[in-house]
């Protein structure tokens, strides 16, 4: 078996005295290169290891016996993945600082939230590989720790996806993603109480939750006061006719003349309006009234009048 090179302790955990991001990047790359060489050497030994062959032939490989060489391979892989995660987190933090600062150099490329999304994708991919290492399948604490870190970095990835939607003014999509970030941070805070160690380098989700709440209200206000939408809405609400205010009280319109001395409030003189005529009443009950028979009285009066006329003209019978 080739003898792997010894990894210095200061490369395994770069100290905070390293002032520049470029120096940290070189240290991380050097450590990753050493890990890759050591893992390749261990893999060559595993090809002829009887315990590894027996584990591969087993119907349930996860339950097979793990040899010392396999533990060494898992340990080196863990160091490589952990180092890659720390390197990407450091790069993400550096990009966040640059993203928050105003760009003064016109020729320099403008950073966008999309640049950080790719880094968090790689971090989540590395975290997904950690629980699959041989010999760590039954370590419940380790599995729970990886799940917690996955929640935290999912929250950050989701946050910057929301920020990218804000740049293109997709307010509803951004608000939905902000709510998902708050869900991740809330669940992460609940699980954080179960761990006391190995979480010093984990970002504080409380600060992220506070920032999300502020951004959420800002996006809600921007969605309402979007300049393009407001200008278009104002143009639609501008008065384009001469209707007085009295005729459109139930419609919001912008009429600059209302604040002048010649405000168009009502139409004067008012137009004539037709009104209904005085109603006619018909006595329909008269058709159903039964009157007494007065024929005999009418004839008597008729006879008396006829005799008077005859006597007046000298015709008497």
């Amino acid at each position: 078996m080739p003898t792997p090179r010894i990894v210095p302790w200061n490369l395994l955990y770069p100290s905070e005295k390293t002032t520049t991001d470029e120096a940290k990047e070189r240290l991380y790359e050097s450590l990753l290169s050493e890990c890759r060489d050591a893992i390749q050497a261990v893999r060559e030994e595993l090809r002829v290891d009887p315990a590894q062959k027996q584990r591969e032939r087993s119907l349930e490989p996860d339950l097979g016996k793990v040899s010392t060489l396999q533990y060494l391979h898992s340990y080196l892989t863990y160091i490589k993945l952990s180092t890659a995660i720390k390197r990407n987190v450091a790069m993400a933090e550096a990009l966040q600082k640059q993203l928050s600062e105003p760009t003064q150099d016109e020729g320099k490329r403008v950073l966008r939230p999309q640049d950080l999304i790719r880094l968090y994708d790689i971090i989540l991919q590395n975290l997904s590989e950690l629980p699959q290492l041989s010999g760590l399948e039954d370590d419940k604490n380790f599995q729970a720790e990886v799940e917690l870190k996955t929640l935290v970095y999912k929250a950050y990835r989701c946050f910057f996806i929301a920020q990218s939607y804000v740049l293109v003014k997709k307010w509803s999509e951004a608000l939905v993603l902000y709510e998902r970030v708050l869900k991740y941070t809330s669940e992460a805070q609940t699980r954080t109480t179960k761990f006391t160690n190995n979480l010093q380098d984990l970002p504080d989700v409380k600060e992220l939750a506070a920032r999300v709440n502020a951004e959420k209200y800002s996006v809600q206000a921007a969605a309402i006061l979007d300049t393009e939408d407001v200008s278009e809405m104002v143009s639609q609400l501008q008065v384009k006719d001469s209707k007085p205010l009295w005729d459109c009280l139930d419609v919001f319109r912008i009429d600059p003349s209302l604040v002048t001395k010649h405000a168009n409030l009502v139409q004067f003189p008012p137009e004539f309006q037709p009104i209904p005529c005085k109603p006619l009443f018909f006595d329909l009950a008269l058709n159903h009234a039964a009157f007494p028979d007065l024929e005999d009285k009418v004839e008597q009066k008729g006879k008396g009048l006829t005799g008077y006329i005859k006597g007046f003209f000298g015709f008497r019978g």
Side-chain angles (χ1 to χ4, degrees):
M1 171 181 175
T3 304
R5 288 171 290 181
I6 300 175
V7 179
W9 182 258
N10 61 344
L11 290 180
L12 185 60
Y13 297 102
S15 68
E16 297 180 356
K17 295 181 180 179
T18 306
T19 55
T20 62
D21 295 332
E22 291 78 7
K24 287 183 180 180
E25 181 67 20
R26 289 195 297 268
L27 290 176
Y28 281 127
E29 289 297 334
S30 177
L31 178 56
L32 288 173
S33 178
E34 298 288 345
C35 288
R36 283 191 288 267
D37 293 341
I39 290 173
Q40 182 62 31
V42 174
R43 284 178 179 173
E44 293 178 358
E45 292 295 325
L46 283 173
R47 293 176 183 175
V48 296
D49 183 30
Q52 177 64 17
K53 293 182 179 180
Q54 181 181 0
R55 183 181 177 88
E56 293 176 355
R57 289 193 298 267
S58 175
L59 297 178
E60 297 181 2
D62 295 341
L63 301 179
K65 184 178 180 180
V66 181
S67 64
T68 304
L69 199 59
Q70 290 168 342
Y71 274 121
L72 177 60
H73 181 270
S74 297
Y75 176 68
L76 292 174
T77 306
Y78 172 80
I79 293 177
K80 185 192 75 170
L81 294 175
S82 300
T83 305
I85 291 172
K86 291 180 180 179
R87 179 197 61 180
N88 291 325
V89 169
M91 293 174 61
E93 291 176 352
L95 289 178
Q96 290 182 42
K97 292 180 181 179
Q98 297 178 20
L99 190 63
S100 61
E101 297 174 356
T103 304
Q104 298 179 354
D105 189 1
E106 296 182 356
K108 188 177 180 181
R109 178 180 176 273
V110 179
L111 292 176
R112 294 183 177 275
Q114 292 87 334
D115 300 326
L116 287 93
I117 296 174
R118 177 57 181 166
L119 286 175
Y120 285 107
D121 282 334
I122 299 174
I123 292 172
L124 292 173
Q125 176 62 32
N126 293 332
L127 285 172
S128 66
E129 297 178 10
L130 286 175
Q132 303 174 7
L133 297 177
S134 301
L136 298 177
E137 298 90 353
D138 298 331
D139 192 339
K140 302 300 182 182
N141 291 332
F142 177 74
Q143 301 287 342
E145 181 181 334
V146 172
E147 291 177 0
L148 173 60
K149 292 181 179 180
T150 301
L151 278 175
V152 172
Y153 292 116
K154 273 186 177 180
Y156 275 90
R157 177 181 176 273
C158 192
F159 172 75
F160 288 105
I161 294 176
Q163 292 290 86
S164 65
Y165 277 117
V166 171
L167 290 179
V168 295
K169 297 184 178 181
K170 292 186 177 181
W171 313 118
S172 58
E173 291 84 349
L175 289 173
V176 171
L177 289 172
Y178 281 146
E179 292 296 335
R180 185 174 298 179
V181 173
L182 294 177
K183 177 183 177 182
Y184 286 146
T185 55
S186 176
E187 188 174 353
Q189 290 177 12
T190 303
R191 297 191 181 191
T192 304
T193 57
K194 302 178 182 179
F195 298 94
T196 56
N197 300 323
N198 302 326
L199 298 178
Q200 292 83 359
D201 298 332
L202 200 63
D204 188 4
V205 293
K206 294 182 180 179
E207 296 181 0
L208 179 62
R211 184 178 177 184
V212 168
N213 284 320
E215 293 287 344
K216 183 175 67 173
Y217 297 129
S218 177
V219 168
Q220 289 175 345
I224 299 173
L225 301 176
D226 190 359
T227 54
E228 294 182 359
D229 295 340
V230 170
S231 60
E232 182 179 355
M233 181 177 63
V234 169
S235 63
Q236 294 177 356
L237 294 176
Q238 290 285 352
V239 174
K240 300 179 182 179
D241 51 35
S242 58
K243 290 183 179 181
L245 180 62
W246 178 259
D247 294 338
C248 51
L249 292 177
D250 56 343
V251 179
F252 178 78
R253 305 195 311 168
I254 299 177
D255 188 357
S257 66
L258 295 177
V259 295
T260 63
K261 295 181 179 180
H262 304 285
N264 188 14
L265 301 179
V266 295
Q267 183 176 355
F268 186 82
E271 295 181 354
F272 289 100
Q273 296 182 358
I275 61 173
C277 299
K278 184 178 180 181
L280 299 177
F281 296 97
F282 300 94
D283 191 358
L284 301 179
L286 183 62
N287 299 330
H288 303 278
F291 295 97
D293 188 8
L294 302 177
E295 291 293 335
D296 55 346
K297 296 182 179 181
V298 172
E299 291 178 357
Q300 292 177 2
K301 291 181 178 180
K303 292 180 180 180
L305 181 60
T306 302
Y308 175 76
I309 292 175
K310 290 180 179 181
F312 179 78
F313 287 99
F315 297 100
R316 295 181 179 271

